[in-house]
Amino acid sequence: MAQVAIKKRKGILGALAFVAVVIGLFWSLVIAPPDAYQGDVQRIMYLHLPSILTAYLSYFLVFIGSGMYLWKREKRDDLLAHSAAEIGVLFTALTIIEGSIWGRPTWGVWWTWDARLTLTAILLLIYVGYLMLRSLIEDENRAASAAAVLGIIGFLDIPLIHMSVYWWRTLHQPPSILRPDKAPWENVHPAMLTALAISFVGFLLLYFYLLSMRYRLGEMREEIRARRLDRGA
Amino acid sequence: MALLRESYLLLWKDLLLELRQRDSLLTMFFFGTLLLFVFHFSFDPAPEKVAEMAPALLWLAFLFTGTLGLAQLFQPERENHCLDALLLSPVDRGALFLAKSCFNLVLMIVVEIVVIPLFWILFNLRSWNLLPQLFLVTLLGTIGFCVLGTIASAITLRARARELLLPLVLFPLMIPVILATIRCMENVLRTGEFGDAIPWLRLLLSFDVIFLTVGVLIFDRVIEN
Amino acid sequence: MALLRESYLLLWKDLLLELRQRDSLLTMFFFGTLLLFVFHFSFDPAPEKVAEMAPALLWLAFLFTGTLGLAQLFQPERENHCLDALLLSPVDRGALFLAKSCFNLVLMIVVEIVVIPLFWILFNLRSWNLLPQLFLVTLLGTIGFCVLGTIASAITLRARARELLLPLVLFPLMIPVILATIRCMENVLRTGEFGDAIPWLRLLLSFDVIFLTVGVLIFDRVIEN
Amino acid sequence: MHITVEKLAKAYGLLWALRDITLALKPGEFVAILGPNGAGKTTLLRILAGLVSPTAGSVKLDGATLSHGATALRTKIGFLTPADHLYDNLTVSENLYFFTSLYHQQKNSHAIDQALQQVNLADRADEYAANLSSGMKCRLSIAKWQLLEPELLLLDEPYGVLDGSGVDVLEKFLQGQCAMGRIIVVASHHVSRVLKLSSRAVILNRGRLTFDEIKQQPWPNFDKAFGEFLPQGEIWRS
Amino acid sequence: MHITVEKLAKAYGLLWALRDITLALKPGEFVAILGPNGAGKTTLLRILAGLVSPTAGSVKLDGATLSHGATALRTKIGFLTPADHLYDNLTVSENLYFFTSLYHQQKNSHAIDQALQQVNLADRADEYAANLSSGMKCRLSIAKWQLLEPELLLLDEPYGVLDGSGVDVLEKFLQGQCAMGRIIVVASHHVSRVLKLSSRAVILNRGRLTFDEIKQQPWPNFDKAFGEFLPQGEIWRS
Ligand code: HEM
Ligand SMILES: Nc1ncnc2c1ncn2[C@@H]1O[C@H](COP(=O)(O)OP(=O)(O)OP(=O)(O)O)[C@@H](O)[C@H]1O
Ligand SMILES: Nc1ncnc2c1ncn2[C@@H]1O[C@H](COP(=O)(O)OP(=O)(O)OP(=O)(O)O)[C@@H](O)[C@H]1O
Ligand SMILES: [Mg+2]
Ligand SMILES: [Mg+2]
């Protein structure tokens, strides 16, 4: 019964995500005006920013899950961290791909060693390392605690990496949304903002949908193992 | 204080074992010198050119040499289930962490004390007077490396393909240290003082402090059963 | 031929232990990427300078993996006295030597195959047409490194202080290999052909042959108590 | 120290190494753990020692669990495996010095020499542990736990490598500990040896606890229960 | 195979592990090597196996010595130590496959399964050797040597970790080998077990050979010679 209820809720979430993403795409591709300088390419930003922000969100979840696991030793926290990490890597990769596609016309190269790009790449590496570590340790308890430690350290390290990389060099698009001196709506066309907002919501919903699916997958794996264990004995 | 006494005891043990067998030191020296030769043979040692590359070269040498050391860090514990013996004992895991980091630190410092002057000689650099500052920067960087490295090698302790996984996990996390140390050294070598590299120094320092504390706090969760 | 069959068997075992899962290959790949990132952070090189730094950087990467591999080469044999099990068996010690060198060689070659193209991409070098020659040089150098390295690490395997002198003698022998390979690479990258680097190539080749045979011949003396 | 094991279970992958084990150990008890290969004896000991975390159930030592940083509790637990837990490249006396210090019971060289005397290893004090014979390593471990005197001492197959005098040393030590109210748990296949001293026998089979009784003379139940695990032809009577 | 050991001596540093040992072993003999801890049993076995080179004296197998590259000879020698000589991260069957191939006797999976059946490890064929219990590791080694059937089989303390059925398996195997004229040499502290099968007993003490006789019933000499090495109170009659 509860199973069914959960399934239903998931279904609803999925539907919402789908709808929101579609609306967001519509808004950003059709309604929002093209960028003054860059033209239509700039529309990538409506995917670009949401995807990286969701990536950040999931790395935060990894951090939380890891911390909780080390503290309470609950399997579910570890599962949360693991799921979040996988999806986070996915979204980070997406960001890089979008960015490269964006970069080709605007900067004329697929990749430059700009701070933010590099930072993203490093994030990718860190969490790929996280997944590697998991997959290369036999005993799942050890894998869990090892990964948890990495999840914590990695997250704590991000600000430091961010800082160092920024001091190192910056030629990336200057912050146009989150700019300190002006409020967002003053320097960007409102339609752009709404588009961004909607697609951001869409991404969030999508993200949580994926997360819950991945989480459920992990749970199922556990259940299957438990069943086979009992049948074995 | 108990923590320090325990760490000291464990460190004494590791140093004794290392002095008995010397395999870590040996590989590290071998590698460090090899690197210097690689550099020497590949970049024609025109002082003015080398001076600006020196920081990167040196630091890379240390980074890789250190990683070699880390790969062997828990070797004694891997034999005869001695790790179990330690986990069985009431010793504070934080002490274990401190001891191992210090051990690795000692190894690296020994290597560095040899490699840096060798470097200066091989590339006949003039700026001997700057060595103290450089040593300071190196030290800060090395501490950060050893601290994080110890954690990394502890979590990869029972992983397959350990020797590759270790740097894979460690290096991305080390990037602040790498950048900071190299920028500092450059600045020192160029201007002869820290000057506007001070923020980098602060970054280094905070890195060391943060992860030292984190390490001591969570290390008991890192290695167990 | 028995020698080869035995070597193959031992190599199969080592590879199986190392690459229990495809993960290891992935690990290699990311490892390679990582190295290049690290390089880039250390000296962010101007495009025109990269070409002349390439040999050094590449060799740096290869030496690093190689030495990491060597440090762990006999790890499986160290556990459960498995080395005794091998020495007890009728397997030819030469085969053991070949297998171990090949194992390390495979490890390095995989990394090289990953690193070199990545290097060309990330540092966007144009000279793709030269890769074959570079691979050839690298291969020759790598073989020399693995052969000599295997002998050395076999000596250090059970080494007490006294025997450690030998590897200290062996390692400097590595320098000709490095010198030769780097000169060759430079020449190839500059002139686009081996040209007057041919003698270096010959040196490399003879080095490999000599120490391969020496290894096969003396390895039983090296490895038995 | 009172030990209560409740519904303990340990699973490795798809295999139950232990299943709902429930035990209660009182001070002064000498428990023999018997059972065929793969029964779960070592696993049980390792869980009691806190080296392996159980899949389910709990182990309570004086009401406390061996969780993280329960370092005070760890000083009370000893685990003796004949060959392990010694640093190959430390000498005999260095090993003793190191481990006793690790337990905050730093011993001076005199005490260490005495302990070595008792297991007659005194003449090998400066030998690398790696160079000892298997039995000598076991003696060294005995010396180690003689110095540390834990409240709960777990022994995994101690008789295998010991010669006659070694057995005497060990049994004298264990009896002494029991008399002082310490708990001894011995897992072994050497029935006659281990039952000689034990006050209670536990039989494990495929991870389940199939027999648990206080020793008595004669002991038909035990003879029946253990009969199947004896080699053919070998009959054994308590 | 005929084995002649002449004035064999082995010194470690300043310590004689073995001193002028002279022995001659004939096909079909089952020799028990007894003696206190540190007597030199393991050292003797390791020298016979060619793992340790003697300081003085010679070991001849059918007149040939185990010098460098006497690979043909090595196929005929087996050395069984319960825990060792297995690759932790190879599975049970991979271990067997690897070692049999190493001895140029590559076995197909069927033969390997059969061997595992006999030591009843068949159900653990795909388990990493590291995950086996101590007794299972010993069983695995037994399976290994069952497949290889060496002319001379040396066993170092095989009984320690084996349960009843394990002992049965081992004894059946050893008896079979003896019957086929192979030489078995067992070093053990478990007198009753090892003397049950052996046709001859050798006692080492502090590296010297103090007793060497063919077995007989009753055997007063042996009882006298070995008496001192028994635990107190434990009396043993052949
Ligand atoms: C591989 C290529 C790229 C990567 C990995 C990348 C990565 C990122 C990341 C991580 C952010 C969020 C930064 C933050 O908020 O702290 C970001 C924001 C942004 N990126 Fe990119 N980017 C890439 C290429 C591009 C290109 C080619 C453009 C346009 C020329 C672009 C325009 C933007 C804009 C406008 C933002 C929002 C700025 C803000 O924070 O207000 N990006 N990008
Ligand atoms: N780390 C591990 N991973 C997987 N399985 C394991 C592990 N350790 C033990 N096992 C399994 O658990 C079971 C119990 O092992 P255990 O060592 O406790 O048996 P035991 O009673 O000590 O046997 P023995 O008398 O041979 O020592 C065995 O089937 C073993 O294969
Ligand atoms: N590698 C070595 N280096 C130095 N001494 C050694 C070495 N190996 C063995 N010895 C010494 O040689 C003597 C005989 O050792 P050995 O292992 O043969 O005894 P053993 O009869 O097997 O004893 P146990 O019954 O305890 O196994 C011992 O005193 C031991 O300390
Ligand atoms: Mg056991
Ligand atoms: Mg022995």
Side-chain angles (χ1 to χ4, degrees):
Chain A
M1 197 55 226
Q3 293 289 344
V4 180
I6 292 173
K7 264 207 180 60
K8 243 210 210 71
R9 238 177 288 129
K10 272 224 196 56
I12 296 168
L13 184 58
L16 277 178
F18 179 75
V19 173
V21 169
V22 169
I23 297 179
L25 283 179
F26 179 75
W27 212 283
S28 41
L29 296 183
V30 181
I31 295 181
D35 181 79
Y37 313 101
Q38 301 180 4
D40 284 334
V41 206
Q42 177 269 354
R43 295 181 188 280
I44 292 183
M45 184 181 72
Y46 302 122
L47 301 183
H48 184 62
L49 199 51
S51 44
I52 189 61
L53 291 182
T54 35
Y56 284 164
L57 173 64
S58 65
Y59 292 145
F60 180 65
L61 284 183
V62 175
F63 176 64
I64 298 296
S66 306
M68 291 294 290
Y69 178 75
L70 285 194
W71 182 27
K72 287 265 173 40
R73 293 278 158 188
E74 297 283 356
K75 258 209 167 351
R76 55 182 166 80
D77 299 327
D78 175 56
L79 183 52
L80 173 66
H82 190 183
S83 321
E86 277 184 6
I87 304 177
V89 165
L90 175 71
F91 275 90
T92 316
L94 270 180
T95 312
I96 294 184
I97 294 167
E98 295 158 3
S100 316
I101 298 173
W102 197 354
R104 196 74 179 87
T106 44
W107 299 342
V109 288
W110 294 105
W111 177 266
T112 68
W113 289 95
D114 149 75
R116 211 180 281 170
L117 274 60
T118 319
L119 178 65
T120 318
I122 295 170
L123 281 186
L124 191 67
L125 281 174
I126 291 181
Y127 287 92
V128 165
Y130 175 96
L131 295 178
M132 286 274 176
L133 181 65
R134 293 201 77 108
S135 67
L136 284 173
I137 299 181
E138 211 72 54
D139 176 320
E140 69 265 12
N141 287 339
R142 281 181 200 144
S145 36
V149 170
L150 186 54
I152 291 174
I153 305 261
F155 188 79
L156 291 182
D157 206 357
I158 291 178
L160 294 166
I161 301 177
H162 191 271
M163 224 185 299
S164 54
V165 171
Y166 265 73
W167 290 347
W168 180 49
R169 66 150 56 107
T170 311
L171 59 80
H172 192 276
Q173 184 90 349
S176 50
I177 309 296
L178 319 163
R179 221 158 54 182
D181 51 351
K182 286 190 198 164
W185 52 86
E186 292 174 33
N187 56 25
V188 187
H189 189 294
M192 286 187 173
L193 268 185
T194 27
L196 196 53
I198 296 174
S199 53
F200 185 59
V201 172
F203 265 70
L204 269 186
L205 289 170
L206 179 65
Y207 173 74
F208 281 112
Y209 178 63
L210 292 178
L211 190 63
S212 61
M213 293 304 262
R214 175 63 183 80
Y215 187 84
R216 182 74 194 119
L217 182 67
E219 283 182 336
M220 284 169 158
R221 285 219 186 96
E222 265 311 300
E223 287 164 18
I224 290 172
R225 209 178 122 271
R227 297 232 177 110
R228 286 177 56 195
L229 238 176
D230 292 336
R231 217 182 306 118
Chain B
M1 181 183 164
L3 183 69
L4 292 184
R5 214 180 56 254
E6 290 178 345
S7 322
Y8 169 74
L9 179 69
L10 290 160
L11 182 58
W12 165 80
K13 182 262 298 173
D14 278 336
L15 287 175
L16 198 61
L17 289 176
E18 181 59 35
L19 291 180
R20 294 254 164 90
Q21 273 193 318
R22 295 200 188 77
D23 26 8
S24 306
L25 257 185
L26 186 80
T27 29
M28 288 165 83
F29 270 128
F30 151 65
F31 187 70
T33 33
L34 262 192
L35 285 187
L36 288 189
F37 278 97
V38 174
F39 298 149
H40 186 72
F41 294 139
S42 37
F43 316 116
D44 52 284
E48 72 286 356
K49 258 195 66 193
V50 174
E52 71 197 32
M53 301 192 58
L57 297 186
L58 275 178
W59 189 250
L60 271 187
F62 299 154
L63 188 68
F64 288 172
T65 322
T67 314
L68 279 178
L70 287 177
Q72 314 249 356
L73 192 54
F74 282 93
Q75 189 51 42
E77 276 64 35
R78 227 175 271 131
E79 287 158 8
N80 302 350
H81 303 94
C82 282
L83 186 61
D84 284 348
L86 293 185
L87 296 180
L88 190 65
S89 78
V91 66
D92 185 332
R93 278 59 171 140
L96 196 50
F97 167 72
L98 284 180
K100 285 292 181 187
S101 326
C102 291
F103 174 60
N104 198 265
L105 188 62
V106 171
L107 285 188
M108 283 194 72
I109 288 179
V110 173
V111 173
E112 285 162 356
I113 286 177
V114 176
V115 168
I116 293 186
L118 247 176
F119 189 88
W120 253 240
I121 293 168
L122 264 181
F123 293 89
N124 45 48
L125 292 173
R126 303 272 169 281
S127 48
W128 289 93
N129 56 320
L130 296 179
L131 283 192
Q133 285 96 315
L134 290 181
F135 265 120
L136 173 65
V137 179
T138 315
L139 184 64
L140 285 181
T142 312
I143 292 176
F145 175 82
C146 292
V147 168
L148 218 49
T150 308
I151 301 179
S153 63
I155 59 180
T156 52
L157 187 53
R158 276 120 159 184
R160 297 190 302 281
R162 204 176 343 104
E163 50 277 15
L164 285 181
L165 188 60
L166 176 64
L168 184 59
V169 168
L170 181 59
F171 285 178
L173 301 175
M174 289 303 300
I175 281 168
V177 175
I178 300 174
L179 284 174
T181 38
I182 291 179
R183 293 293 162 272
C184 282
M185 287 185 170
E186 274 179 2
N187 206 315
V188 170
L189 280 176
R190 220 180 32 254
T191 68
E193 69 208 346
F194 288 119
D196 43 9
I198 294 292
W200 285 112
L201 265 187
R202 264 199 230 93
L203 181 71
L204 259 183
L205 212 55
S206 43
F207 186 96
D208 296 354
V209 174
I210 291 174
F211 286 112
L212 200 57
T213 39
V214 171
V216 174
L217 290 182
I218 70 172
F219 203 67
D220 63 335
R221 313 310 181 89
V222 181
I223 47 163
E224 41 160 350
N225 52 58
Chain C
M1 183 182 164
L3 183 68
L4 292 183
R5 213 181 55 254
E6 289 176 345
S7 326
Y8 168 76
L9 179 68
L10 290 161
L11 182 59
W12 166 80
K13 181 262 298 174
D14 279 336
L15 287 176
L16 196 63
L17 289 176
E18 172 70 23
L19 317 175
R20 261 268 163 229
Q21 294 178 350
R22 298 164 253 65
D23 306 343
S24 306
L25 286 175
L26 261 175
T27 320
M28 294 276 189
F29 178 79
F30 283 101
F31 177 71
T33 333
L34 203 60
L35 283 179
L36 297 186
F37 266 78
V38 173
F39 290 155
H40 203 287
F41 283 118
S42 326
F43 6 67
D44 39 52
E48 70 282 4
K49 269 183 61 188
V50 174
E52 70 195 39
M53 290 177 56
L57 293 188
L58 287 177
W59 259 102
L60 190 53
F62 304 156
L63 276 183
F64 180 50
T65 13
T67 320
L68 265 180
L70 286 180
Q72 307 272 332
L73 193 54
F74 282 94
Q75 188 51 41
E77 275 65 33
R78 232 183 260 139
E79 289 157 6
N80 302 350
H81 302 94
C82 281
L83 185 61
D84 283 349
L86 292 185
L87 296 181
L88 188 66
S89 77
V91 66
D92 186 328
R93 279 56 174 143
L96 194 53
F97 167 72
L98 283 180
K100 284 294 181 188
S101 329
C102 289
F103 174 60
N104 205 355
L105 187 64
V106 171
L107 198 81
M108 290 183 72
I109 286 179
V110 175
V111 172
E112 287 162 357
I113 288 176
V114 173
V115 168
I116 295 186
L118 260 174
F119 190 89
W120 255 241
I121 294 171
L122 277 180
F123 292 81
N124 41 45
L125 292 173
R126 301 273 167 276
S127 49
W128 288 93
N129 55 322
L130 298 180
L131 285 194
Q133 286 95 314
L134 289 180
F135 266 121
L136 175 64
V137 179
T138 316
L139 183 65
L140 288 181
T142 314
I143 293 177
F145 177 83
C146 293
V147 168
L148 214 48
T150 308
I151 302 179
S153 62
I155 294 163
T156 35
L157 182 55
R158 309 181 180 150
R160 286 255 173 283
R162 185 168 34 77
E163 297 98 318
L164 283 185
L165 255 52
L166 213 65
L168 277 178
V169 178
L170 266 182
F171 289 148
L173 290 177
M174 222 74 95
I175 288 167
V177 181
I178 294 166
L179 186 55
T181 36
I182 290 178
R183 287 280 170 278
C184 284
M185 284 186 169
E186 278 178 359
N187 206 316
V188 170
L189 279 174
R190 224 184 25 259
T191 67
E193 68 206 346
F194 288 120
D196 45 9
I198 293 292
W200 286 115
L201 264 186
R202 262 200 230 91
L203 175 69
L204 263 182
L205 209 58
S206 43
F207 185 97
D208 295 353
V209 176
I210 290 172
F211 282 102
L212 204 56
T213 37
V214 169
V216 173
L217 293 182
I218 69 162
F219 202 65
D220 58 345
R221 294 294 193 284
V222 172
I223 201 155
E224 278 171 17
N225 40 62
Chain D
M1 178 151 75
H2 288 266
I3 300 170
T4 53
V5 178
E6 289 252 330
K7 298 216 147 302
L8 189 69
K10 176 67 185 177
Y12 286 112
L14 290 178
L15 172 133
W16 286 108
L18 288 176
R19 279 197 96 163
D20 48 44
I21 307 291
T22 301
L23 266 177
L25 307 184
K26 291 189 303 300
E29 269 193 318
F30 189 124
V31 185
I33 298 189
L34 300 155
N37 294 139
K41 301 183 292 298
T42 302
T43 307
L44 179 56
L45 293 187
R46 289 177 64 82
I47 291 177
L48 287 176
L51 290 176
V52 174
S53 49
T55 310
S58 70
V59 176
K60 290 227 176 342
L61 309 159
D62 283 336
T65 53
L66 253 185
S67 58
H68 304 284
T71 52
L73 207 51
R74 285 211 167 79
T75 53
K76 300 181 181 168
I77 303 175
F79 187 22
L80 191 159
T81 53
D84 293 346
H85 301 350
L86 296 173
Y87 280 95
D88 270 352
N89 296 309
L90 291 181
T91 68
V92 169
S93 47
E94 283 167 351
N95 265 295
L96 287 182
Y97 172 81
F98 175 69
F99 280 110
T100 48
S101 316
L102 213 55
Y103 280 75
H104 312 301
Q105 301 185 29
Q106 197 164 36
K107 298 284 192 256
N108 56 24
S109 60
H110 177 64
I112 287 178
D113 289 344
Q114 249 180 346
L116 288 178
Q117 286 285 358
Q118 290 180 5
V119 296
N120 53 49
L121 276 179
D123 52 333
R124 313 303 297 274
D126 298 331
E127 186 82 64
Y128 287 126
N131 296 348
L132 295 180
S133 80
S134 51
M136 289 169 164
K137 280 181 184 155
C138 185
R139 287 164 181 264
L140 179 52
S141 312
I142 295 174
K144 169 176 154 188
W145 293 115
Q146 268 181 339
L147 286 168
L148 293 174
E149 297 200 317
E151 297 272 317
L152 164 65
L153 182 55
L154 311 158
L155 300 93
D156 193 359
E157 199 54 70
Y159 299 110
V161 295
L162 285 175
D163 64 0
S165 68
V167 172
D168 292 334
V169 170
L170 179 62
E171 293 186 335
K172 186 155 148 296
F173 167 52
L174 294 182
Q175 272 173 319
Q177 295 292 302
C178 268
M180 292 158 65
R182 309 246 154 84
I183 303 178
I184 309 289
V185 181
V186 180
S188 173
H189 293 287
H190 205 315
V191 194
S192 48
R193 285 263 166 78
V194 68
L195 280 197
K196 200 173 102 194
L197 298 186
S198 59
S199 62
R200 173 179 175 184
V202 169
I203 298 181
L204 292 178
N205 192 6
R206 307 161 155 280
R208 290 186 181 279
L209 194 154
T210 59
F211 179 92
D212 179 5
E213 278 188 15
I214 304 298
K215 180 160 145 195
Q216 47 201 253
Q217 293 290 4
W219 203 357
N221 296 355
F222 178 84
D223 301 346
K224 210 164 96 290
F226 194 74
E228 58 174 311
F229 304 130
L230 285 170
Q232 280 165 2
E234 214 167 289
I235 44 164
W236 187 80
R237 291 261 154 282
S238 49
Chain E
M1 177 150 78
H2 288 268
I3 301 171
T4 53
V5 178
E6 288 255 333
K7 301 210 146 303
L8 188 69
K10 175 68 185 176
Y12 287 112
L14 292 179
L15 171 134
W16 287 107
L18 287 177
R19 277 193 98 160
D20 47 42
I21 307 292
T22 302
L23 266 177
L25 307 184
K26 290 188 303 300
E29 268 192 318
F30 189 124
V31 185
I33 299 191
L34 300 156
N37 293 139
K41 302 183 291 299
T42 302
T43 309
L44 179 57
L45 292 188
R46 289 176 63 82
I47 290 176
L48 287 176
L51 290 175
V52 173
S53 47
T55 312
S58 71
V59 175
K60 289 229 175 348
L61 310 160
D62 284 338
T65 55
L66 257 183
S67 58
H68 295 286
T71 54
L73 208 49
R74 283 207 170 80
T75 54
K76 300 182 181 167
I77 304 175
F79 188 23
L80 190 158
T81 54
D84 293 346
H85 301 349
L86 296 173
Y87 280 96
D88 271 351
N89 295 314
L90 290 180
T91 67
V92 169
S93 47
E94 282 167 351
N95 264 295
L96 287 183
Y97 173 80
F98 174 69
F99 280 110
T100 48
S101 316
L102 212 54
Y103 280 75
H104 311 303
Q105 300 185 30
Q106 198 164 39
K107 298 283 193 254
N108 56 23
S109 59
H110 176 65
I112 289 178
D113 289 344
Q114 250 181 344
L116 288 177
Q117 286 286 0
Q118 291 180 4
V119 296
N120 53 50
L121 275 180
D123 52 334
R124 313 303 295 273
D126 298 332
E127 186 83 65
Y128 288 121
N131 297 348
L132 295 179
S133 80
S134 52
M136 290 170 163
K137 281 183 184 152
C138 185
R139 287 164 180 264
L140 180 52
S141 313
I142 295 174
K144 171 175 151 188
W145 294 115
Q146 267 182 339
L147 285 168
L148 293 175
E149 297 200 316
E151 297 273 315
L152 165 66
L153 181 56
L154 311 158
L155 300 92
D156 195 357
E157 201 52 72
Y159 299 110
V161 296
L162 285 174
D163 64 1
S165 69
V167 172
D168 292 334
V169 169
L170 179 62
E171 293 187 336
K172 187 156 147 298
F173 166 53
L174 294 183
Q175 272 174 320
Q177 294 292 302
C178 269
M180 292 158 66
R182 310 245 153 86
I183 304 178
I184 309 290
V185 182
V186 179
S188 174
H189 293 288
H190 205 315
V191 193
S192 49
R193 285 262 165 79
V194 68
L195 279 197
K196 200 173 104 195
L197 296 186
S198 59
S199 63
R200 173 179 175 183
V202 169
I203 298 182
L204 292 178
N205 192 6
R206 310 161 154 280
R208 290 186 181 279
L209 194 153
T210 59
F211 179 92
D212 177 5
E213 277 190 14
I214 303 300
K215 179 158 141 195
Q216 48 201 255
Q217 293 292 4
W219 204 359
N221 295 357
F222 178 84
D223 300 347
K224 209 165 97 291
F226 193 73
E228 57 175 311
F229 304 129
L230 287 168
Q232 279 164 4
E234 216 169 288
I235 44 163
W236 187 83
R237 291 265 156 279
S238 50

